[in-house]
Amino acid sequence: MKDIIELSEKQEEAVSYKNGALLVHASAGSGKTRVLTERIKRLLDISKKKVLAITFTNKAGDEMRVRLGDSEKIKSQVFIGTFHGFCQQVIEMRGNLIGLSKMPQIFEQESDRLLLIEQAIQSTPSYLLKYKNFDEKKQRDFRYRTLEFISKVKRELLTEEELLNKTNNNEDAVLLFHSYQEILASQNAIDFDDLIMLTHRLFINNPSVAALYRRTYEYICIDEAQDLNNAQYQLLKSITNGEYENVMMVGDPNQSIFAFNGSSSDYMNKKFIEDFNPKIIELKENYRSAKKVIEAAEKIIPDSNEIINAVIPGIFEVVSCENESTEAEWILDKINELILLKEHDDIEGQITYEKIAILARNKYVFAKLEEELIDASIPFYYKITPGAIKFESITMNIFDLALRVKLNPSDNLHLSRLLRLLGVSGVTSLQDIGNFIDVDHYKKALELVIGLKDDGSNLKKSLKNFSVFIKETNSIKEDDDRKMILDEINEILKHWTQYARKTDKESLNQFKNAMALGQTHPLATPKGITLSTVHTMKGQEYEIVFLMGMDDGTFPDYRAVRNGGIEMKQEKNNTYVAFTRARRFLYVTFPEQRLMPWGAVKHRTMSRFLKKLS
């Protein structure tokens, strides 16, 4: 017997909608995820074909999987994942159609891509002389700007002619772009932006393949559609090709906060309406947040929420503090007060640290608070965006670099890094490198990688045997190093377990790329208070939220204040998102004085967004 889900009239209208395009404007707390998952269940009841469910984060995808359940029907008929995850699957299966003999390795680390930029500059003589005349800071800034330029070219899917127009016929910029792409290709590698660009190219150049995916997926559902960028929207159009209308978009334009990544709510609110003529359903009722929180959010962005269904009063306070230290002390005192209170009529169950989140525009804002929490022995952790493991020990860096080279023999970038790390030169094969290693646990890490099977069937056993070796070997001088290596081995095992749960056919190459895309992050629940930037908290809610550092120039950020326009709109959306992360209690604080990095103390005023609340 299926669980009976109670839906409002508007929610039911969206859930029961069958064929044709559908746009659901879902304000914060209006049951967006419930509507999306319930509609997918209904679609599976009326169709034997598949549903393509696109999310913007792996965590959102995991939440959708939990809500949909793990029946065989769900597993076989629903693809749940990000645009990048979907594109990875397409390229793995069809990449030969665009000249890829096998799935390329994803270069996910920014440091790797910056090194490729350096190589591209070195191979562009017309620009190299000018670059060499820059000082070190200008060279570094130029590399970062070039990387962002390349990413933008790919997000916008520019043709050669458009690329020249975009750069005002700057042939050096075009040459740098092509050199970067050629270096990637020579190492059988791609970056994140290539995933979407290549899949779009595959569908455009092979209409029969796009048609195959149209026949395979009878319905497409896109969550958080306000965060679409041009490449993602054009990918959708390349699949549908004007012949397919069963596309559902769900989103809230007031929560569009990724303009820096090329996203815009216009793709949902304008282009989708122009291209697909969807039925539009508004979900405005708030079933999550307390009345006072909704009223405050309503003043940040008017008409963003309906408060008629908010039955829990809740708490909203704005607190002015003398400086950053007193701000941190006030937050600590309020946390202690709430924990001692234990219960409140507005909050279900006992008040615990795990029900509390502290948000800020930027991570540096937490500095004083972190000191206070440590001194008070209050548990806390920083919420991070899931991604690949960043190894700290030399031993596991050797493992990681060697694994990349094993999986992709063309990967000269990581081979060079491995050789430098080991102090070896003039060697081109992993087997030969071992002859030049004197440190036992380094050699053992290399041998482990060489002995791994392509399907990863012996990875788990090999790593566990390696753990035993690390515990017993005398070649490690410091116990702290030993513990670090063991912790990192355990971390890989957790990632492998997550990966193995989600696939029927395992492979080391697929596992490495899945890690790069953040698809294998263990779903552990950390203990204590959550500290998070607003961007990282997107899509998550807590019973009690503190939003600190709400002084003008910090939030909104001084650069947005200076530039104005869309950047200030994004800052306002950021504030709205931060407010609506609170289910019941929201405390907003700001310091009247802030210590600048260069030692000066500056007077600060309340964020201009808060002045609307007085």
Side-chain angles (χ1 to χ4, degrees):
M1 181 177 175
K2 292 182 180 179
D3 294 334
I4 297 175
I5 302 294
E6 292 186 11
L7 300 170
S8 70
E9 184 179 335
K10 285 291 184 182
Q11 288 175 334
E12 178 61 38
E13 185 181 2
V15 166
S16 59
Y17 191 76
K18 293 181 181 176
N19 294 322
L22 176 64
L23 173 58
V24 178
H25 283 144
S27 62
S30 61
K32 168 181 69 69
T33 306
R34 172 190 287 186
V35 166
L36 191 59
T37 52
E38 287 304 307
R39 181 157 189 263
I40 290 173
K41 289 178 184 177
R42 299 270 184 100
L43 293 175
L44 294 179
D45 287 338
I46 63 173
S47 174
K48 293 183 178 180
K49 290 188 177 180
K50 293 186 176 183
V51 175
L52 179 61
I54 298 294
T55 65
F56 273 80
T57 65
N58 293 303
K59 187 169 181 61
D62 289 332
E63 182 183 350
M64 192 181 293
R65 285 187 190 90
V66 170
R67 294 203 185 199
L68 285 171
D70 58 355
S71 69
E72 285 304 315
K73 191 170 190 178
I74 296 295
K75 289 179 180 178
S76 62
Q77 286 186 241
V78 185
F79 173 93
I80 303 170
T82 63
F83 274 102
H84 290 95
F86 170 69
C87 291
Q88 177 191 6
Q89 186 186 81
V90 173
I91 293 173
E92 282 177 348
M93 296 178 66
R94 315 278 174 187
N96 62 300
L97 296 174
I98 49 174
L100 299 175
S101 58
K102 67 174 184 175
M103 178 66 195
Q105 191 176 122
I106 300 170
F107 281 10
E108 79 280 11
Q109 295 180 10
E110 184 181 70
S111 58
D112 288 345
R113 286 173 282 147
L114 286 169
L115 190 55
L116 295 185
I117 293 292
E118 179 76 33
Q119 292 177 13
I121 293 169
Q122 296 294 332
S123 63
T124 310
S126 56
Y127 198 88
L128 182 57
L129 183 60
K130 183 178 178 181
Y131 176 78
K132 282 183 175 179
N133 289 328
F134 291 161
D135 60 30
E136 188 176 333
K137 182 179 183 302
K138 280 189 175 180
Q139 287 185 349
R140 183 178 66 250
D141 291 345
F142 178 77
R143 290 194 297 273
Y144 275 100
R145 287 199 309 274
T146 302
L147 190 60
E148 173 53 30
F149 163 73
I150 289 171
S151 183
K152 190 173 182 179
V153 169
K154 295 178 183 182
R155 290 197 304 261
E156 295 185 8
L157 301 173
L158 297 180
T159 64
E160 188 77 21
E161 184 179 349
E162 289 169 335
L163 180 55
L164 278 168
N165 290 336
K166 195 83 171 179
T167 59
N168 295 318
N169 290 316
N170 184 340
E171 293 181 351
D172 286 334
V174 176
L175 285 171
L176 278 177
F177 173 79
H178 287 304
S179 293
Y180 174 85
Q181 289 299 99
E182 287 166 5
I183 293 169
L184 270 176
S186 72
Q187 303 196 38
N188 190 38
I190 57 176
D191 61 23
F192 284 124
D193 295 309
D194 283 323
L195 279 167
I196 294 178
M197 184 182 75
L198 291 172
T199 307
H200 176 264
R201 183 186 303 166
L202 193 155
F203 286 150
I204 292 295
N205 294 341
N206 300 273
S208 61
V209 176
L212 173 64
Y213 278 87
R214 284 196 294 279
R215 292 193 300 272
T216 301
Y217 294 104
E218 189 169 3
Y219 298 93
I220 299 175
C221 301
I222 300 177
D223 192 15
E224 303 285 7
Q226 76 277 352
D227 290 326
L228 284 164
N229 64 26
N230 181 64
Q232 292 159 345
Y233 185 72
Q234 295 304 327
L235 175 66
L236 171 68
K237 287 188 67 178
S238 71
I239 300 173
T240 58
N241 196 38
E243 305 170 15
Y244 176 104
E245 295 183 341
N246 292 337
V247 179
M248 175 191 191
M249 287 195 182
V250 183
D252 178 5
N254 296 323
Q255 296 193 54
S256 175
I257 64 173
F258 295 117
F260 63 86
N261 198 31
S263 75
S264 170
S265 58
D266 285 351
Y267 293 105
M268 173 182 78
N269 273 350
K270 293 181 181 179
K271 295 187 180 298
F272 182 57
I273 292 174
E274 291 170 4
D275 294 332
F276 289 84
N277 190 28
K279 179 180 179 62
I280 302 174
I281 297 175
E282 305 276 348
L283 300 181
K284 283 182 171 276
E285 302 89 348
N286 192 305
Y287 298 100
R288 179 186 71 213
S289 299
K291 185 174 182 179
K292 289 187 178 179
V293 174
I294 300 171
E295 288 174 338
E298 171 77 12
K299 289 179 181 178
I300 299 296
I301 300 182
D303 302 320
S304 58
N305 263 299
E306 292 283 350
I307 62 172
I308 53 175
N309 287 303
V311 295
I312 296 172
I315 293 173
F316 173 74
E317 288 183 26
V318 177
V319 180
S320 170
C321 303
E322 183 180 348
N323 53 44
E324 295 159 278
S325 294
T326 54
E327 181 185 29
E329 289 166 7
W330 187 91
I331 293 172
L332 183 67
D333 289 344
K334 179 56 71 173
I335 289 170
N336 287 330
E337 177 188 319
L338 291 167
I339 294 297
L340 286 173
L341 185 63
K342 292 187 178 179
E343 294 181 350
H344 190 284
D345 290 343
D346 289 358
I347 293 177
E348 185 178 346
Q350 186 172 336
I351 298 174
T352 63
Y353 292 131
E354 286 70 32
K355 291 183 178 179
I356 300 173
I358 305 172
L359 311 185
R361 173 64 175 79
N362 298 302
K363 190 175 178 181
Y364 73 82
V365 174
F366 295 121
K368 290 292 182 184
L369 177 66
E370 184 175 336
E371 292 175 11
E372 293 286 342
L373 292 172
I374 291 171
D375 288 345
S377 299
I378 291 176
F380 70 93
Y381 71 97
Y382 280 101
K383 183 176 177 60
I384 61 171
T385 302
I389 306 172
K390 301 293 189 295
F391 295 103
E392 294 184 43
S393 70
I394 295 175
T395 304
M396 296 314 293
N397 264 298
I398 291 169
F399 169 88
D400 180 54
L401 292 168
L403 181 59
R404 290 173 185 267
V405 175
K406 176 185 173 68
L407 296 174
N408 180 15
S410 301
D411 185 355
N412 294 320
L413 176 72
H414 293 105
L415 175 62
S416 297
R417 286 193 166 178
L418 177 62
L419 294 175
R420 282 200 304 273
L421 187 61
L422 292 168
V424 176
S425 61
V427 183
T428 57
S429 75
L430 292 180
Q431 285 79 2
D432 291 341
I433 291 173
N435 297 326
F436 297 88
I437 301 177
D438 296 325
V439 181
D440 287 350
H441 53 288
Y442 292 176
K443 180 175 284 191
K444 200 76 172 178
L446 187 67
E447 291 172 351
L448 187 162
V449 171
I450 293 171
L452 290 176
K453 297 179 180 178
D454 290 342
D455 62 1
S457 57
N458 63 339
L459 175 67
K460 198 169 180 179
K461 183 177 180 181
S462 298
L463 284 171
K464 287 185 174 180
N465 289 340
F466 189 50
S467 289
V468 173
F469 172 82
I470 292 298
K471 289 174 185 176
E472 297 176 350
T473 184
N474 293 321
S475 63
I476 301 174
K477 304 302 180 186
E478 299 288 341
D479 285 340
D480 285 346
D481 291 346
R482 194 186 308 271
K483 182 179 184 305
M484 186 186 296
I485 296 168
L486 292 171
D487 286 345
E488 290 177 343
I489 292 172
N490 287 333
E491 190 70 12
I492 299 173
L493 288 169
K494 289 177 185 175
H495 278 257
W496 177 263
T497 300
Q498 284 295 116
Y499 163 74
R501 284 175 182 167
K502 297 177 181 178
T503 185
D504 296 326
K505 190 176 181 181
E506 298 158 359
S507 84
L508 275 180
N509 194 55
Q510 191 182 66
F511 170 56
K512 198 76 179 71
N513 281 336
M515 276 206 297
L517 293 175
Q519 297 169 348
T520 61
H521 203 270
L523 297 176
T525 304
K527 299 295 183 183
I529 294 170
T530 301
L531 271 58
S532 173
T533 63
V534 177
H535 282 98
T536 306
M537 186 55 71
K538 186 80 189 308
Q540 305 298 302
E541 302 90 29
Y542 284 75
E543 301 296 308
I544 301 165
V545 169
F546 292 85
L547 175 58
M548 66 183 298
M550 282 298 290
D551 51 288
D552 222 51
T554 302
F555 203 165
D557 183 84
Y558 71 94
R559 289 161 294 190
V561 173
R562 181 184 62 208
N563 297 333
I566 190 170
E567 291 188 33
M568 279 299 290
K569 183 178 179 181
Q570 286 287 295
E571 291 295 284
K572 184 185 286 188
N573 284 353
N574 276 324
T575 307
Y576 173 82
V577 167
F579 274 36
T580 55
R581 298 313 90 199
R583 290 195 182 104
R584 301 292 182 256
F585 298 172
L586 175 60
Y587 301 97
V588 181
T589 64
F590 69 95
E592 294 181 352
Q593 291 182 342
R594 187 176 288 283
L595 180 65
M596 297 292 107
W598 54 90
V601 175
K602 278 200 171 185
H603 176 72
R604 312 295 280 185
T605 59
M606 174 193 292
S607 169
R608 63 193 66 194
F609 299 139
L610 297 183
K611 292 175 182 176
K612 299 179 180 182
L613 302 170
S614 57

